[in-house]
Amino acid sequence: MANQNVLIIGGGVAGIEAAKGIADLGYKAILVEKRDRLGGNPDEQQYSVLTPDRRDASEALSDMMAPILDNENVDLMYNTIVTGASGSVGNFKVKAVSMGKEVEIEAGAVIVATGFSHFDPGRETQKYGYYEHDDVLTLTDAEKLLKEHKFVRPSNGEVPKRICFIQCVGSRDRQIGNEYCSKVCCGISSQQAIEVREQVPDCKVYIFYIDMRMYGYWENEIYWPAQEEFKVNYIKGIATEIVKKGDRLLVKGEDTTLRRPMEVEMDMVILAVGMEPSEGTKKMAEYFGLKQNKYNFIETIGGPLDTVSTTVPGVYAAGACTGPADLEDTVSAAGLAAMKALGSIRRNGNA
Amino acid sequence: MANQNVLIIGGGVAGIEAAKGIADLGYKAILVEKRDRLGGNPDEQQYSVLTPDRRDASEALSDMMAPILDNENVDLMYNTIVTGASGSVGNFKVKAVSMGKEVEIEAGAVIVATGFSHFDPGRETQKYGYYEHDDVLTLTDAEKLLKEHKFVRPSNGEVPKRICFIQCVGSRDRQIGNEYCSKVCCGISSQQAIEVREQVPDCKVYIFYIDMRMYGYWENEIYWPAQEEFKVNYIKGIATEIVKKGDRLLVKGEDTTLRRPMEVEMDMVILAVGMEPSEGTKKMAEYFGLKQNKYNFIETIGGPLDTVSTTVPGVYAAGACTGPADLEDTVSAAGLAAMKALGSIRRNGNA
């Protein structure tokens, strides 16, 4: 007889949504999370607001996770790290260290929801001087400042008069091996640009980009308002170097529309860092024997018609552990993974 | 007691996936489809291959729908058009005309999966002369030619030597009221460009674009190979007019990188038409009282953290009936909709 429980690894957006779905259908979800709280990257990295609806991130996440807290169908295991796995669909045995103790978790199916890490702009590329210049930030650094409503220059505490975003840091970059586009950075940068203009109305904001990938409704919900209402300046151009000039930053590069070199002084520069598989994602692939793609994200099978099945029956992957994903992708995939996980248990047991 | 069945309206990719999920969990799906077969736009419009994996579309769809054909948990109702609805979650009563006869369908929850229509390039914009020039095609026209391996000029049956795609036809266009980006056209155009280069190796292929929105893996799976392996020429530019010149087409516009007017002769021009809500989508919104956005797609509630719930409890919307969606979006959303539909029935009945 197949074990009827679904183990969900990772308590971010994908994991929360999957647990909710499984519990709603009367099955048991066991959700393991390495931290002592749910919420994944948006919580850990202290996102200010969500993209594209600009709702307060903490509030939106709280509402989202409420149904699985104190839910008799959801076992939440915090401070728990998966360390190994055996078995197959219907009868997985997963080893973990939970609150410092070794435990074994049994489940009929598994949903891996271990997400992504932000690209480290110090890795293999020092051209932007992230670790040299205090006023060079990443999107996640900027989120924290915006969340606290303290958008000031880290170097001197002053309110910036002129800032820019540089797109595609760690994405679309063959030299560092990340040829893919990280999908969300154009939208998130634009959203942050709007927030900067709201919090610091006198600050001029520039975005240097290759293509603005404001797909679907992001075009009308973020891109148009950013330009028209919030006067964000979009410049098709590539920044190649950031150096110090006095107490400001000099961004060197090329304006590809005007086809000429550009050198612009900025008070702060925000690097739109892309997505890479998290450590947890790589480890789960190893423990469960899941095929990974060349970027080490978990490979899904079935092309565009199956976004969650892995090479191992009974193990599904949802959200950014399979590659760059926005919140919509993640939530939708979690639903599909929950459905398929329960389906696999029913087919392989006598439920 | 709540009715335990889920009514799915539309037998395209979203409807098929939702039905599969519901059946897999042991519930009954009633799938109504206006045509006499499943497959939605990819089948009706005779897509050649899917984007991005370039698998034969007919074959992929056949495999996808196989599990719901002759499935005791799925009632397939072909040639059926929904004409009205009443009731609420747990007890919807839906009127339809099925095979010419009036019927009433009862269901506990409903999934609207009525998809999109391709933008008609004759509507409100005649600048591209779609209805005047035989050699001006849409993406769907081109799909059919590629599927049949007969990629020739409609005007004279000759193999083209030089063709171009024009992006954003009916999208990102405030004048016609479609400010949104249709999301998939960059990828599909690039995929077709590759296919043209394979089928007609001597044909030069150009793509005129505003931004190439090759998000996520489309960047490395389509955009890099299109340029490097298949020598597709991407030109950032805007085409403003197409006129006849001898037996060829003269495309007038502006090369925005070189900042100069451009006039290029082409044998065929393919318009990358965007997505609009289908008639069925607009009608279902009306019958069920679902809020629509300003473009008449069905509005989902909950921002990026809920891609399928509508303003009416128990009615979910999946896929391109909610806005521009690629196949991945559609399949994932269908899974989430199936899960939420079953959850709503369980919460509102005594299942």
Side-chain angles (χ1 to χ4, degrees):
Chain A
M1 159 122 190
N3 183 302
Q4 303 290 299
N5 301 340
V6 178
L7 171 64
I8 299 167
I9 303 170
V13 169
I16 294 168
E17 185 65 22
K20 200 156 56 170
I22 285 158
D24 256 9
L25 296 187
Y27 289 82
K28 169 86 79 182
I30 304 165
L31 195 164
V32 305
E33 163 57 40
K34 67 177 192 297
R35 298 192 307 141
D36 62 359
R37 48 191 289 161
L38 299 175
N41 268 317
D43 176 76
E44 189 171 9
Q45 307 287 342
Q46 301 179 57
Y47 290 9
S48 176
V49 301
L50 299 184
T51 300
D53 69 343
R54 311 193 59 229
R55 188 173 171 211
D56 181 86
S58 305
E59 186 190 290
L61 285 169
S62 290
D63 281 0
M64 187 192 195
M65 64 182 72
I68 66 166
L69 306 174
D70 298 314
N71 183 322
E72 62 176 7
N73 285 342
V74 181
D75 286 351
L76 291 175
M77 298 175 70
Y78 295 108
N79 298 303
T80 302
I81 290 173
V82 168
T83 55
S86 62
S88 59
V89 56
N91 289 289
F92 287 102
K93 291 187 202 307
V94 176
K95 284 189 182 160
V97 176
S98 182
M99 313 287 265
K101 280 186 217 151
E102 283 194 19
V103 296
E104 186 174 86
I105 303 163
E106 299 193 347
V110 177
I111 296 173
V112 179
T114 40
F116 71 99
S117 293
H118 290 93
F119 177 77
D120 175 351
R123 182 170 75 74
E124 292 176 55
T125 165
Q126 272 298 342
K127 64 185 174 186
Y128 297 136
Y130 177 69
Y131 290 106
E132 289 169 61
H133 310 307
D134 291 343
D135 293 334
V136 177
L137 311 179
T138 63
L139 284 181
T140 49
D141 298 330
E143 279 290 343
K144 287 192 193 77
L145 299 182
L146 291 166
K147 190 180 190 76
E148 294 165 0
H149 284 256
K150 284 183 187 156
F151 195 77
V152 294
R153 299 178 63 186
S155 65
N156 61 12
E158 285 176 15
V159 170
K161 292 199 181 67
R162 202 178 153 90
I163 71 159
C164 73
F165 292 80
I166 296 176
Q167 298 306 113
C168 302
V169 177
S171 307
R172 304 183 69 177
D173 187 333
R174 185 170 286 178
Q175 276 189 300
I176 58 158
N178 295 353
E179 289 104 342
Y180 55 84
C181 154
S182 287
K183 197 168 183 178
V184 303
C185 337
C186 285
I188 291 171
S189 297
S190 297
Q191 184 278 108
Q192 287 193 0
I194 289 173
E195 223 175 335
V196 171
R197 293 281 300 149
E198 284 181 327
Q199 293 189 17
V200 191
D202 292 335
C203 182
K204 287 195 172 145
V205 179
Y206 299 83
I207 297 184
F208 296 112
Y209 70 96
I210 310 177
D211 296 277
M212 277 316 290
R213 294 195 163 160
M214 308 294 276
Y215 48 80
Y217 292 139
W218 290 16
E219 176 82 11
N220 54 294
E221 290 176 356
I222 315 176
Y223 195 29
W224 289 91
Q227 293 174 80
E228 296 190 328
E229 190 181 340
F230 295 97
K231 313 296 180 199
V232 175
N233 303 289
Y234 288 85
I235 295 170
K236 189 169 163 72
I238 295 165
T240 50
E241 196 183 4
I242 297 174
V243 296
K244 195 100 179 165
K245 187 177 178 186
D247 79 333
R248 304 180 91 188
L249 298 165
L250 185 68
V251 180
K252 296 181 177 184
E254 188 196 340
D255 182 320
T256 48
T257 301
L258 300 179
R259 286 227 161 166
R260 66 181 188 202
M262 79 183 167
E263 290 199 350
V264 282
E265 285 182 39
M266 295 287 160
D267 292 326
M268 289 163 80
V269 175
I270 298 169
L271 306 178
V273 288
M275 292 189 183
E276 293 190 325
S278 69
E279 278 311 304
T281 291
K282 289 184 269 189
K283 283 197 175 140
M284 294 315 120
E286 182 196 329
Y287 299 152
F288 288 95
L290 313 176
K291 188 175 174 194
Q292 293 165 269
N293 65 21
K294 65 181 285 201
Y295 314 113
N296 288 319
F297 286 107
I298 294 169
E299 186 141 305
T300 53
I301 59 174
L305 299 182
D306 186 346
T307 51
V308 299
S309 294
T310 71
T311 47
V312 175
V315 180
Y316 301 88
C321 63
T322 68
D326 60 26
L327 289 169
E328 288 94 328
D329 296 338
T330 301
V331 165
S332 290
L336 184 64
M339 201 182 74
K340 284 193 188 274
L342 293 177
S344 76
I345 289 175
R346 285 180 49 89
R347 269 195 309 280
N348 286 280
N350 34 11
Chain B
M1 160 125 190
N3 184 303
Q4 303 290 298
N5 301 340
V6 177
L7 170 64
I8 300 167
I9 303 169
V13 169
I16 294 168
E17 185 66 22
K20 201 157 56 172
I22 284 159
D24 257 8
L25 296 187
Y27 290 81
K28 169 86 80 182
I30 304 165
L31 195 164
V32 304
E33 164 55 42
K34 67 178 192 297
R35 298 193 308 141
D36 62 357
R37 48 191 290 160
L38 299 175
N41 268 317
D43 176 76
E44 189 172 7
Q45 306 287 343
Q46 300 179 59
Y47 289 10
S48 175
V49 301
L50 299 184
T51 301
D53 70 343
R54 310 192 62 227
R55 186 172 172 212
D56 181 86
S58 305
E59 187 190 288
L61 284 170
S62 290
D63 282 359
M64 186 191 196
M65 64 181 74
I68 66 164
L69 306 173
D70 298 315
N71 183 322
E72 60 177 10
N73 286 342
V74 182
D75 286 351
L76 291 174
M77 298 174 70
Y78 296 107
N79 298 303
T80 302
I81 291 172
V82 168
T83 55
S86 61
S88 60
V89 57
N91 289 288
F92 286 102
K93 289 185 203 309
V94 175
K95 283 188 183 162
V97 175
S98 183
M99 314 286 266
K101 279 187 218 151
E102 282 193 18
V103 296
E104 186 175 86
I105 303 162
E106 297 192 349
V110 176
I111 297 173
V112 178
T114 41
F116 71 98
S117 292
H118 291 91
F119 176 77
D120 175 353
R123 183 171 74 74
E124 294 176 55
T125 165
Q126 271 298 342
K127 64 186 176 186
Y128 297 137
Y130 176 69
Y131 290 107
E132 289 169 60
H133 310 308
D134 290 344
D135 294 335
V136 177
L137 311 178
T138 63
L139 284 181
T140 49
D141 297 331
E143 279 291 341
K144 287 192 193 75
L145 300 181
L146 291 165
K147 189 179 191 75
E148 293 165 0
H149 284 256
K150 283 182 187 157
F151 195 78
V152 294
R153 299 178 63 187
S155 65
N156 61 11
E158 284 176 13
V159 170
K161 293 199 180 65
R162 199 179 156 88
I163 70 158
C164 74
F165 291 80
I166 297 176
Q167 297 307 112
C168 302
V169 178
S171 307
R172 304 182 69 178
D173 187 334
R174 185 171 286 181
Q175 277 190 298
I176 57 157
N178 294 352
E179 290 104 341
Y180 55 84
C181 155
S182 288
K183 196 167 182 178
V184 303
C185 336
C186 285
I188 291 172
S189 297
S190 297
Q191 185 279 109
Q192 287 194 0
I194 290 173
E195 222 174 336
V196 170
R197 293 281 301 150
E198 286 182 325
Q199 293 189 17
V200 191
D202 292 335
C203 182
K204 287 196 170 142
V205 179
Y206 299 82
I207 296 183
F208 296 112
Y209 70 96
I210 310 178
D211 296 277
M212 277 316 289
R213 294 195 164 161
M214 308 296 274
Y215 49 79
Y217 292 139
W218 289 17
E219 176 82 11
N220 55 295
E221 290 177 356
I222 315 176
Y223 194 31
W224 288 91
Q227 292 174 80
E228 296 189 330
E229 189 180 341
F230 295 96
K231 313 297 181 199
V232 175
N233 303 289
Y234 287 85
I235 295 169
K236 188 168 163 73
I238 295 165
T240 50
E241 195 183 5
I242 298 174
V243 296
K244 196 98 180 165
K245 185 178 180 187
D247 81 333
R248 303 180 92 189
L249 298 165
L250 185 67
V251 179
K252 296 181 178 185
E254 187 195 343
D255 182 320
T256 48
T257 300
L258 300 179
R259 284 228 162 166
R260 66 181 187 200
M262 82 185 164
E263 290 200 348
V264 283
E265 285 181 40
M266 294 287 160
D267 292 327
M268 288 163 80
V269 175
I270 298 169
L271 306 178
V273 288
M275 292 189 183
E276 293 190 324
S278 69
E279 278 310 303
T281 291
K282 289 183 270 188
K283 282 196 174 140
M284 293 316 118
E286 181 195 328
Y287 299 153
F288 287 95
L290 314 175
K291 189 177 173 192
Q292 293 166 270
N293 65 21
K294 65 182 283 202
Y295 314 113
N296 288 319
F297 287 106
I298 294 168
E299 187 141 305
T300 53
I301 57 173
L305 299 181
D306 186 346
T307 51
V308 299
S309 295
T310 70
T311 46
V312 175
V315 180
Y316 301 88
C321 64
T322 67
D326 60 27
L327 289 169
E328 288 93 330
D329 296 337
T330 300
V331 165
S332 290
L336 184 64
M339 201 183 74
K340 285 193 187 272
L342 293 176
S344 76
I345 288 174
R346 285 181 47 89
R347 268 195 309 281
N348 286 278
N350 35 11

